[in-house]
């Protein structure tokens, strides 16, 4: 095989406006590997990128795809030969919606034997995000109570399971169709469409919650902050409420960052963060890689031993990218939509 197939985002388009193209398959350079993609995912980032709304996306045109799982097809000089043929995972931000991807070998993490590609894929960007928000930012402890917005989503569904694994009581927002699934995961569900979420949270946690994980942004971040108990932590990690808004792609994030700075300056014993999974890579790449490898290994171990379960919403071939994007954006699925070769 001497060509690869990739999905190109040419500009601000509807899902059907993305394009398939073929180009020569690159050879790996020193320290690099070529990965044959087995599974990549549709995350909220791609939904924002096609609208030109992801705050640090590259200029159009580019190949989207935040993460992938695949098999090492070829290795460059300086890469151990034992990596060839191994199933690995990688966080890429862009470029993974392709049949083959060229990466630095130091950016890949081996996937344990026995984990399927699609199942492992759900745990890359979603698992890393959930794990680091829980354990590196909020530092949750057994016996605490947390609120997770979008508890049925790709990040949310893993976050609630990792929290339950740590002995944490979880309250989660989702539409009613997902409540039975959430109850099976040990979550106390709230219907954000029909219930007064702050009032219901106050009923379940009269003193406030120990942490809130908010991907909604906008007014939701303010409401989330007000639900914290003393010593609690707010972790904002997105701005879903502004996904379809026109205007600056940076402004929604800057507003959250401004609030975070203000809240952290107040002497009230609470803390706020805006979480970005890429934080630290530009100025401490080796530390970033080591932390990612450590945390993703923990997530894969939990997935393999069954203490968390992969939530694969659907599996579609790469050439059905438009259908996959529409499905991911519909708000009707639990877990992650996965693209396969």
């Amino acid at each position: 095989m001497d060509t690869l197939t990739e999905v190109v985002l040419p500009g601000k388009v509807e899902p059907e406006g993305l394009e398939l193209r073929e180009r020569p398959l690159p050879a790996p350079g020193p320290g690099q590997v070529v990965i044959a993609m087995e599974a990549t995912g549709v995350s909220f980032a791609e939904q924002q990128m096609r609208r030109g709304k992801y705050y640090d996306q590259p200029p159009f045109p580019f190949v989207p795809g935040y993460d992938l799982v695949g098999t090492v097809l070829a290795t460059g000089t300086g890469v151990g030969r034992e990596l060839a043929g191994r199933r690995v995972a990688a966080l890429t931000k862009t470029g993974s919606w392709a049949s083959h991807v060229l990466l630095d070998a130091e950016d890949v993490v081996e996937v344990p034997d026995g984990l399927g590609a699609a199942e492992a894929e759900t745990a890359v960007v979603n698992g890393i995000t959930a794990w680091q928000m829980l354990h590196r930012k909020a530092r949750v402890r057994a016996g605490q109570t947390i609120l997770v917005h979008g508890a049925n989503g790709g990040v949310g569904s893993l976050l609630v399971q990792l929290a339950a694994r740590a002995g944490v009581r979880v309250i989660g927002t989702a539409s009613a169709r997902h409540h039975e699934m959430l109850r099976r995961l040990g979550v106390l569900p709230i219907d954000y469409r029909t219930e007064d979420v702050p009032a219901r949270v106050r009923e379940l946690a009269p003193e406030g919650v120990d942490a809130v994980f908010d991907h909604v942004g906008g007014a939701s971040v303010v409401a989330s902050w007000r639900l914290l108990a003393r010593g609690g932590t707010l972790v904002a990690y997105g701005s879903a409420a502004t996904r379809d808004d026109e205007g600056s792609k940076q402004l929604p994030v800057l507003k959250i960052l401004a609030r975070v700075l203000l809240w952290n300056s107040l002497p009230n014993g609470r803390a706020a963060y805006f979480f970005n999974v890429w934080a630290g890579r530009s100025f401490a790449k080796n530390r970033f890689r080591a932390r990612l490898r450590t945390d993703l290994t923990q997530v894969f171990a939990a997935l393999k031993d069954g203490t968390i379960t992969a939530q694969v919403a659907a599996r579609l071939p790469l050439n059905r990218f438009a259908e996959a994007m529409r499905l991911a954006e519909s708000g009707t699925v639990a877990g992650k939509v996965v693209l396969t070769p």
Side-chain angles (χ1 to χ4, degrees):
M1 180 179 291
D2 56 3
T3 62
L4 65 81
T5 301
E6 60 190 7
V7 179
V8 178
L9 181 56
K12 296 180 185 180
V13 294
E14 293 300 308
E16 293 75 15
L18 279 83
E19 302 166 353
L20 272 179
R21 76 177 179 192
E22 290 190 348
R23 64 180 179 87
L25 183 67
Q32 294 183 319
V33 293
V34 172
I35 299 172
M37 184 272 287
E38 295 179 72
T40 182
V42 184
S43 67
F44 185 69
E46 286 88 36
Q47 299 172 37
Q48 288 186 304
M49 286 179 185
R50 77 164 184 86
R51 295 168 169 85
K53 294 289 292 181
Y54 195 75
Y55 64 96
D56 63 347
Q57 70 186 72
F60 296 117
F62 62 91
V63 177
Y66 217 95
D67 58 359
L68 83 157
V69 169
T71 298
V72 176
L73 186 67
T75 60
T77 57
V79 179
R81 291 186 177 274
E82 67 278 2
L83 200 57
R86 291 291 302 170
R87 175 173 283 167
V88 296
L91 196 65
T92 58
K93 187 180 286 188
T94 60
S96 287
W97 285 14
S99 61
H100 299 79
V101 180
L102 178 68
L103 292 172
D104 289 342
E106 291 186 17
D107 285 325
V108 305
V109 178
E110 290 196 33
V111 176
D113 293 336
L115 276 187
E119 288 73 20
E121 206 288 327
T122 67
V124 186
V125 64
N126 290 347
I128 282 291
T129 298
W131 181 274
Q132 293 186 346
M133 290 195 300
L134 276 169
H135 296 295
R136 293 192 181 272
K137 293 300 182 185
R139 298 182 182 275
V140 297
R141 301 185 304 277
Q144 291 187 322
T145 298
I146 66 172
L147 171 64
V148 179
H149 289 290
N152 63 293
V155 173
S157 61
L158 287 178
L159 198 155
V160 300
Q161 293 181 79
L162 288 169
R165 180 176 183 258
V168 173
R169 178 176 179 242
V170 182
I171 303 168
T173 68
S175 58
R177 70 169 66 91
H178 302 297
H179 284 195
E180 185 55 39
M181 179 270 289
L182 290 175
R183 289 189 185 97
R184 290 197 299 270
L185 297 177
V187 177
L188 299 168
I190 299 175
D191 188 344
Y192 68 92
R193 294 181 176 178
T194 62
E195 297 182 74
D196 182 331
V197 173
R200 181 66 178 132
V201 172
R202 287 295 184 190
E203 290 177 9
L204 296 169
E207 301 301 317
V209 294
D210 298 294
V212 183
F213 301 89
D214 190 311
H215 73 298
V216 182
S220 177
V221 173
V222 178
S224 293
W225 173 256
R226 291 171 178 167
L227 289 171
L228 290 175
R230 184 167 183 81
T233 303
L234 166 66
V235 185
Y237 65 104
S239 186
T242 63
R243 186 187 69 180
D244 296 318
D245 292 354
E246 296 297 327
S248 168
K249 60 178 177 283
Q250 286 88 14
L251 187 57
V253 172
L254 291 174
K255 285 182 177 179
I256 295 173
L257 288 172
R259 287 190 172 110
V260 165
L261 289 172
L262 172 62
W263 288 331
N264 285 334
S265 71
L266 300 176
N268 54 26
R270 295 178 288 180
Y273 298 96
F274 182 78
F275 179 82
N276 175 4
V277 73
W278 290 97
R281 180 179 170 84
S282 60
F283 57 86
K285 185 176 288 188
N286 289 337
R287 181 185 174 195
F288 173 90
R289 285 167 164 166
R291 184 175 59 187
L292 185 145
R293 187 178 304 277
T294 297
D295 295 348
L296 187 53
T297 298
Q298 293 270 14
V299 175
F300 282 154
L303 193 59
K304 185 173 181 179
D305 69 22
T307 54
I308 65 172
T309 303
Q311 300 291 319
V312 180
R315 308 175 199 219
L316 295 166
L318 187 65
N319 61 4
R320 291 170 64 184
F321 53 83
E323 184 180 346
M325 180 76 85
R326 292 277 184 203
L327 184 60
E329 294 184 3
S330 70
T332 63
V333 297
K336 193 168 188 181
V337 176
V338 173
L339 291 166
T340 58

